[in-house]
Amino acid sequence: MSRPGPDGTVPWPPGRVTEEPLDEVDVDRLMVFVPAIMSVGLAFSIATLVRDLFHWTGNRARERRTAIEAGAVVSTVLGEEQPDPEEIGVLSRPLYLLSALVLVTGAAYVTVGSVANFVRDGGYVRDIGWLLAVSLGLAVVLGFLAGVSFVVFLTWPHPPAWTFGPLRTAPLSVVPGRQGQGPSWGLTAGLGASAVATGLLSLMVGSGRSVALDIDRPIARWFVEAEWLGQLEILDLFGRTLFSIGFVVLIGLSFFRCRVMAIAYPVAFAVSWLGGGLIREIVDRDRPAPFGDLESYPSGHLIQAVFIAGLVPLAIAVLSSDRRAVTMARTVLGLLVVATAAHRIHRQDHWPLDVLGGIGLGLTVVLAVHWVLEHRSWHRSCASCPWSRHPAPTPWRQGIFSLGPATAHRLGMVGALGAVVGAAALFGATVVVGLPTDPEGFGLGSAISGPVQIGLATVLALSGLVALRWQAVGAVGIALAATGLGLFASVQYRPLLTFGLTAALVVPAVVVWLSWQREETVGRIFALAAITGTLLIGTAFGTTEIYDYYFGPTHPDSAADELASEEADWLWLGAVDTRSATVVAGGLDSGEELELRYWAAGTAGADGRGSVAAVADRYGVARFVMDRLSPATTYRYSIVDLDDVDDADDRFATTGAGDAGFRTIGEGPQDLVVVLGSCARSGSNGAVFDAMVAEQPDLYLALGDLHYANLESTNPADHIRAYGRSLRQPGQAALFSSVPTAYVWDDHDYGPNDSDGSSISRSAVSTAYRRAVPHHGVDPDIDATIAQAFTVGRVRFVLSDTRSHRTPTTMLGAAQQEWLVEELISSSASHALVVWANPTPWIGAADPTADDWSAYPEQRQAIADALAAAGVANLVMVSGDAHMVAIDDGTNSGYAADGSPGFPLLHAAALDRPGSVKGGPYSHGAFPGGGQYGKLVVADDGGATIGVELSGKTWDGERLVSMELQISVPRTASGP
């Protein structure tokens, strides 16, 4: 989907549609378009008159005239001045006004068109005067009938006697006594208008493509730029398989009462499907980007939506005599169709006219079904449907399944006790076992998830007890409790598991329902079954939506191939400098002996190659440190099992195209490309990782939330497995195995959501980090922070740890804060640029409840005061956590007591999580969303200034925001 740029605009038009002038082909089509409509109209007029001529002399016309004249004779005998309108077949009053308008329009159209085409040179009928005479005669007849219709409209319900003749002969009346036995004039007119409008729209879209685009573009632009329309996706139920099946089942149930519905529905479905396909084949219009190769007109999705929205209320009308339910269904489904149409345009699935065409065709089919159902004489075999001779509901027989009283009683007891037992099992799982364990890690934690689950289990138990006395109420209560537990579990487990849990807990409700139904009518049984089924379907839909929202991908998958290494599940490259590099391999067997072989790209023989052996530790991790490398050199490397090769030559002879590669850091001043990001869902394989690799970066700064496992585990193996789950995904594998990485954690990859130094996972994740992560000199003591610093060229990178030593009174701990301030000040004097990688948001009003620096205003000010006192002016901060890209030029990042300005700041997130905004304000704005990353470009030629560009980009290459800086290099700066 196109996104607004920094100026708030959206690139338009999308895809490969360009602003083209009306070409000659479109002009020719339009020249054919108008006469085609004229010819079609004239042909319909003549066909109508010919048909009525036959009707005037046919049995129906004779029946109508006889009935009308008989009514007039009876009225005369009885001394009535005028016969009753119904006795002479007079129609509803509005129909005569509509007829007058249509007939006058037709007469004017025929007169003007025929005369104009006769008198002008080259006219269509210039050489055939008889056609002009026929046309004018036709116009006179139409005008006369229009006058009759208008007079009847004015004098209704007792028209003058002179109108009886035209009423008897022209199709302006019906056989007396048949009113109300067929479709109303309004329904007939609506069906005709819908069909004609859809046909004309299709003709216009197919004939004048540029004209259609001129109409579509400005409308589509507004819909695309209205970001709030993206939230309407949850209302688009018509494309959901489960809901479509539910709607079809509901419509199918109406077949048992209405035989006409049983025939009309499948025929209508076939007509809508074939009609839509035929029009798409003829019109052959491409969709907007990114679906340009698919036919777009008319929208099949909207045909289906209108079809369902129009027929479901009819099914409800057949099954229930409650008009309020029918009206409510029409209103709700109609609003859902509108929301679906708006969302499809917003997503650029269709052009606006495509959506309108789909609605038109769907509405035409629905009105045709209504028109067919209104023929009451066709419902002779129906079982009490609204159009039958006996529309009052016929009592259904009691019960669907025949059960004896004893069996029904036992089933009721079993169902009620089953709910209580299920609730007890949930109590035990929550209190004793400790479920749910939050394996995906939304961050609810045991403090929230436990009480919620206990509360829902209580509702389940109470519903089971209620079912002992009031079975229907108890069954619904059990179903509601099961649904609530399913929705709650959806933020803990995968959809299949949560749906299975819900289905298992609904079993007691079904058993109670079986006991209850034996003495109830089918209508009430169906109503309760529909409620229960809807809850289950809603749970399946809701759990999928919730899980996809919190844990699903925010953008398309990576196109990268799987990791080439056959020995390791994942590889992690880091701690790369001018002469050395570290690779960590994971997913190995404990004690396995492996060797990493590496060689300079483009070298032959023994030059530039080497090998490092390592043994996998108890966690299946092996660390390989390559040294004696050359600066600014590209190396390839591969992992081999020592048992599979005999000597070194064999090992190097197995070089393959899939081997990983990297480039060492150069010496002295140099240009740098650094990509940075944070907040990727567990196991993400998003295309955003491809985009970062495509930048050909020298360094990747992983600013926390590498995954969202939110582990409350004291076992380091669990945390290492969480690393591996992400790193073995093809997109991330390509990045982490080939781009030097510097990584610092945040809350979700450190412990539970918003965790600090008190987290029970502190020691385990600290051990896992030191075992599995290649780093730049982290203190080996697991009780220490993972703060670190390293230099690339004349740039100093400083990474702070904002989690492991955080307490309610300190963000960093006294020791780390002292180290950080000293490191920033000293590095700013000795380096051209200092980049502070701080994973936690810095900007924001003081708030003791916040999970960022806003909760520690005193420490934030202390750091700012120290930087201001030292005159630090070459510092740039990069940060994560907040699911947004944002830039501040220093306007809002200064917190020193003396009012000194702040430093430039770049937020980079979310790699693959839903968007959100934290802190602020930011001088260049904030752009929430997933599939985003940051980019820092350094231009350093060794001079007195250094160029820095900060930017935020999306997975598809769109630049959301950027800022360029020229920073003066301190005179004392010398670099490494």
Side-chain angles (χ1 to χ4, degrees):
M1 183 184 300
S2 298
R3 299 172 180 264
D7 58 353
T9 63
V10 174
W12 196 264
R16 51 189 174 87
V17 180
T18 58
E19 295 286 352
E20 299 174 349
L22 195 64
D23 55 27
E24 294 182 1
V25 175
D26 287 319
V27 172
D28 292 340
R29 285 174 175 164
L30 290 178
M31 291 178 65
V32 175
F33 178 67
V34 174
I37 294 178
M38 295 174 61
S39 302
V40 171
L42 182 60
F44 272 114
S45 299
I46 295 174
T48 300
L49 289 176
V50 171
R51 182 202 65 184
D52 289 337
L53 280 174
F54 285 105
H55 282 183
W56 290 342
T57 58
N59 291 333
R60 181 180 298 178
R62 285 195 294 271
E63 181 183 2
R64 180 172 59 214
R65 288 199 301 272
T66 301
I68 292 174
E69 291 169 358
V73 170
V74 171
S75 298
T76 301
V77 172
L78 297 176
E80 297 177 353
E81 295 183 0
Q82 296 287 349
D84 186 84
E86 293 187 357
E87 293 180 0
I88 62 172
V90 176
L91 302 173
S92 301
R93 187 179 189 185
L95 183 58
Y96 288 103
L97 178 60
L98 178 63
S99 299
L101 294 175
V102 172
L103 291 169
V104 166
T105 302
Y109 162 71
V110 173
T111 302
V112 173
S114 58
V115 172
N117 282 290
F118 185 82
V119 299
R120 74 181 181 89
D121 292 336
Y124 295 111
V125 293
R126 187 71 177 85
D127 300 325
I128 44 177
W130 63 268
L131 183 57
L132 174 64
V134 171
S135 299
L136 292 177
L138 173 63
V140 171
V141 173
L142 294 176
F144 173 73
L145 293 178
V148 172
S149 297
F150 190 66
V151 170
V152 174
F153 168 73
L154 294 177
T155 59
W156 193 93
H158 300 293
W162 67 267
T163 63
F164 287 178
L167 289 176
R168 285 195 299 267
T169 54
L172 297 174
S173 61
V174 295
V175 177
R178 289 194 177 180
Q179 293 92 327
Q181 297 300 310
S184 66
W185 69 270
L187 178 58
T188 303
L191 173 59
S194 177
V196 171
T198 303
L200 293 179
L201 179 61
S202 303
L203 191 58
M204 188 270 286
V205 172
S207 300
R209 298 186 185 276
S210 294
V211 174
L213 285 175
D214 287 341
I215 297 173
D216 278 323
R217 284 192 182 109
I219 301 173
R221 184 197 301 271
W222 183 90
F223 276 89
V224 171
E225 292 178 352
E227 290 293 331
W228 61 272
L229 291 175
Q231 305 301 319
L232 297 179
E233 182 177 8
I234 195 172
L235 300 179
D236 183 6
L237 307 182
F238 303 103
R240 313 285 181 181
T241 301
L242 289 176
F243 274 87
S244 297
I245 292 175
F247 289 142
V248 170
V249 169
L250 179 61
I251 296 171
L253 289 172
S254 65
F255 296 176
F256 294 101
R257 282 188 179 271
C258 183
R259 300 297 185 268
V260 180
M261 187 74 168
I263 298 173
Y265 171 72
V267 172
F269 174 79
V271 169
S272 64
W273 183 70
L274 293 174
L278 180 62
I279 295 175
R280 276 191 290 273
E281 189 69 25
I282 295 173
V283 174
D284 191 25
R285 188 189 195 198
D286 289 342
R287 294 195 186 193
F291 309 104
D293 295 332
L294 301 176
E295 292 82 5
S296 186
Y297 182 92
S299 168
H301 193 82
L302 267 298
I303 294 175
Q304 174 182 324
V306 175
F307 186 78
I308 291 175
L311 294 187
V312 165
L314 277 177
I316 294 175
V318 171
L319 296 169
S320 171
S321 59
D322 190 348
R323 293 183 177 272
R324 293 172 297 179
V326 177
T327 302
M328 183 179 298
R330 282 177 175 157
T331 302
V332 172
L333 291 173
L335 292 175
L336 291 179
V337 169
V338 173
T340 298
H343 181 253
R344 301 292 287 188
I345 299 173
H346 172 74
R347 277 187 22 168
Q348 303 178 56
D349 291 328
H350 291 285
W351 295 105
L353 290 181
D354 305 337
V355 169
L356 192 61
I359 292 175
L361 180 57
L363 182 62
T364 300
V365 173
V366 168
L367 290 176
V369 174
H370 276 261
W371 188 85
V372 169
L373 292 175
E374 289 295 334
H375 289 78
R376 293 183 178 274
S377 60
W378 297 354
H379 293 267
R380 294 188 183 94
S381 301
C382 292
S384 302
C385 77
W387 302 277
S388 65
R389 294 182 179 180
H390 306 286
T394 301
W396 297 84
R397 68 180 182 87
Q398 289 183 331
I400 293 179
F401 302 100
S402 299
L403 299 173
T407 302
H409 177 72
R410 283 193 293 269
L411 283 175
M413 294 293 296
V414 169
L417 292 177
V420 175
V421 170
L426 286 172
F427 273 111
T430 306
V431 177
V432 180
V433 181
L435 294 176
T437 57
D438 194 11
E440 292 295 335
F442 170 53
L444 294 179
S446 58
I448 297 176
S449 59
V452 170
Q453 186 159 290
I454 289 175
L456 290 171
T458 301
V459 174
L460 181 65
L462 292 176
S463 299
L465 297 176
V466 168
L468 294 173
R469 178 65 179 82
W470 299 285
Q471 291 182 320
V473 176
V476 172
I478 294 171
L480 284 172
T483 302
L485 284 161
L487 291 173
F488 167 70
S490 68
V491 297
Q492 309 284 11
Y493 303 105
R494 295 183 176 275
L496 183 61
L497 181 60
T498 58
F499 182 72
L501 171 66
T502 305
L505 294 176
V506 167
V507 169
V510 174
V511 174
V512 172
W513 174 80
L514 287 173
S515 172
W516 167 82
Q517 58 87 37
R518 66 176 295 272
E519 295 182 347
E520 300 296 332
T521 63
V522 174
R524 295 186 66 186
I525 294 172
F526 170 77
L528 186 62
I531 292 173
T532 307
T534 301
L535 289 173
L536 271 177
I537 294 173
T539 302
F541 167 74
T543 54
T544 302
E545 289 296 308
I546 292 173
Y547 189 88
D548 286 346
Y549 178 81
Y550 288 113
F551 307 115
T554 59
H555 62 292
D557 279 350
S558 164
D561 295 328
E562 293 187 2
L563 186 68
S565 175
E566 297 180 357
E567 306 301 334
D569 284 347
W570 52 266
L571 300 173
W572 197 338
L573 172 69
V576 177
D577 56 26
T578 57
R579 302 286 179 178
S580 64
T582 299
V583 171
V584 177
L588 309 171
D589 294 331
S590 177
E592 185 177 3
E593 296 184 11
L594 299 170
E595 186 175 80
L596 180 144
R597 54 183 178 82
Y598 60 91
W599 60 99
T603 60
D607 295 334
R609 76 183 192 184
S611 62
V612 181
V615 177
D617 64 12
R618 56 183 295 195
Y619 303 113
V621 171
R623 180 177 294 265
F624 304 90
V625 179
M626 296 170 275
D627 54 14
R628 298 189 301 275
L629 304 179
S630 300
T633 302
T634 299
Y635 285 88
R636 307 291 297 175
Y637 71 91
S638 182
I639 307 291
V640 296
D641 190 331
L642 292 179
D643 294 334
D644 296 336
V645 293
D646 296 329
D647 53 40
D649 290 336
D650 288 341
R651 293 195 292 274
F652 284 98
T654 59
T655 302
D659 295 321
F662 66 95
R663 183 176 177 81
T664 53
I665 302 300
E667 295 179 331
Q670 57 194 283
D671 297 342
L672 293 176
V673 175
V674 180
V675 292
L676 48 139
S678 64
C679 306
R681 65 186 181 88
S682 298
S684 172
N685 188 39
V688 67
F689 299 106
D690 296 349
M692 289 193 288
V693 171
E695 299 281 3
Q696 296 184 333
D698 300 290
L699 176 67
Y700 170 47
L701 290 179
L703 300 172
D705 293 343
L706 187 75
H707 56 73
Y708 268 66
N710 289 337
L711 292 173
E712 298 179 83
S713 172
T714 58
N715 185 353
D718 293 334
H719 296 272
I720 293 176
R721 277 194 292 269
Y723 288 146
R725 181 182 175 190
S726 293
L727 268 63
R728 67 169 172 261
Q729 301 301 322
Q732 297 200 56
L735 176 67
F736 282 92
S737 65
S738 62
V739 178
T741 302
Y743 158 63
V744 62
W745 57 41
D746 198 33
D747 54 345
H748 297 290
D749 49 352
Y750 168 78
N753 185 39
D754 296 346
S755 54
D756 57 20
S758 64
S759 171
I760 63 173
S761 65
R762 182 174 183 269
S763 295
V765 72
S766 182
T767 300
Y769 185 99
R770 287 163 171 82
R771 293 286 187 122
V773 179
H775 52 74
H776 290 271
V778 168
D779 190 326
D781 183 0
I782 63 171
D783 291 328
T785 71
I786 59 169
Q788 54 198 282
F790 59 94
T791 297
V792 180
R794 295 200 297 171
V795 181
R796 186 67 168 173
F797 292 90
V798 181
L799 283 63
S800 57
D801 175 358
T802 59
R803 289 293 170 183
S804 67
H805 282 62
R806 182 189 297 193
T807 70
T809 59
T810 178
M811 170 71 82
L812 304 174
Q816 183 183 191
Q817 182 166 328
E818 180 180 354
W819 169 86
L820 176 65
V821 171
E822 181 180 350
E823 178 67 42
L824 293 177
I825 293 175
S826 62
S827 296
S828 68
S830 60
H831 291 72
L833 176 68
V834 179
V835 177
W836 177 10
N838 162 49
T840 304
W842 175 264
I843 298 176
D847 179 5
T849 65
D851 184 49
D852 51 40
W853 281 98
S854 299
Y856 303 91
E858 294 84 4
Q859 290 190 337
R860 181 171 59 181
Q861 180 180 325
I863 295 173
D865 286 341
L867 297 177
V872 174
N874 59 340
L875 173 65
V876 171
M877 176 184 284
V878 292
S879 192
D881 186 61
H883 297 184
M884 64 183 183
V885 163
I887 289 179
D888 190 81
D889 58 8
T891 302
N892 305 291
S893 61
Y895 290 96
D898 62 1
S900 297
F903 39 76
L905 181 152
L906 169 63
H907 265 286
L911 291 170
D912 197 7
R913 294 286 288 155
S916 66
V917 175
K918 290 184 180 180
Y922 302 97
S923 63
H924 286 52
F927 300 83
Q932 302 180 162
Y933 66 98
K935 183 179 179 182
L936 184 151
V937 178
V938 177
D940 184 8
D941 59 4
T945 62
I946 186 169
V948 178
E949 181 185 18
L950 305 176
S951 62
K953 303 179 72 175
T954 64
W955 65 272
D956 54 359
E958 181 182 354
R959 184 185 292 262
L960 296 174
V961 63
S962 64
M963 179 178 66
E964 294 185 2
L965 305 168
Q966 286 294 324
I967 297 177
S968 298
V969 177
R971 293 181 179 179
T972 55
S974 60

